[in-house]
């Protein structure tokens, strides 16, 4: 027998979707997309301290301002040495 639909239960509010360009911090995947490189390439930049990160809880986040600064410069060297 089916239970009647309970209208008193509410859905939790949806997460606000903010474009990556307007965020202060982005995930590794979003950062890689913004730089137009692979996520592994971004991981190498992080490991070599070319791009700084912030840790909030268990999340690794990258400041958009630092991504913009990195993107403004020329980087003739290879990402992976």
């Amino acid at each position: 027998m089916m239970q009647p639909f309970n209208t008193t239960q509410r859905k939790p509010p949806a997460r606000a979707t903010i474009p990556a360009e307007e965020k202060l911090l982005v995930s590794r995947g979003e950062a890689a997309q913004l730089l137009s490189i692979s996520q592994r390439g971004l991981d190498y930049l992080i490991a070599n301290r070319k791009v700084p990160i912030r840790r909030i809880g268990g999340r690794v986040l990258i400041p958009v301002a630092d991504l913009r600064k990195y993107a403004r410069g020329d980087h003739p060297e290879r990402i992976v040495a």
Side-chain angles (χ1 to χ4, degrees):
M1 185 169 167
M2 289 186 62
Q3 296 290 333
F5 184 73
N6 187 351
T7 58
T8 59
Q9 289 181 336
R10 299 202 178 241
K11 275 190 353 186
R15 258 180 118 178
T17 54
I18 301 170
E21 300 81 31
E22 294 180 22
K23 293 181 180 181
L24 297 175
L25 301 168
V26 293
S27 68
R28 290 171 38 244
E30 290 171 314
Q33 282 183 327
L34 287 171
L35 291 177
S36 299
I37 61 174
S38 69
Q39 194 163 333
R40 181 168 286 219
L42 178 71
D43 289 341
Y44 281 114
L45 293 176
I46 291 169
N48 292 319
R49 301 186 188 275
K50 305 277 187 194
V51 175
I53 62 166
R54 304 286 181 268
R55 292 187 186 273
I56 298 180
R59 298 194 64 197
V60 174
L61 300 169
I62 297 99
V64 173
D66 289 316
L67 291 174
R68 290 176 197 267
K69 185 171 23 172
Y70 182 81
R72 279 195 297 267
D74 285 334
H75 306 281
E77 71 278 356
R78 294 175 51 103
I79 292 176
V80 180

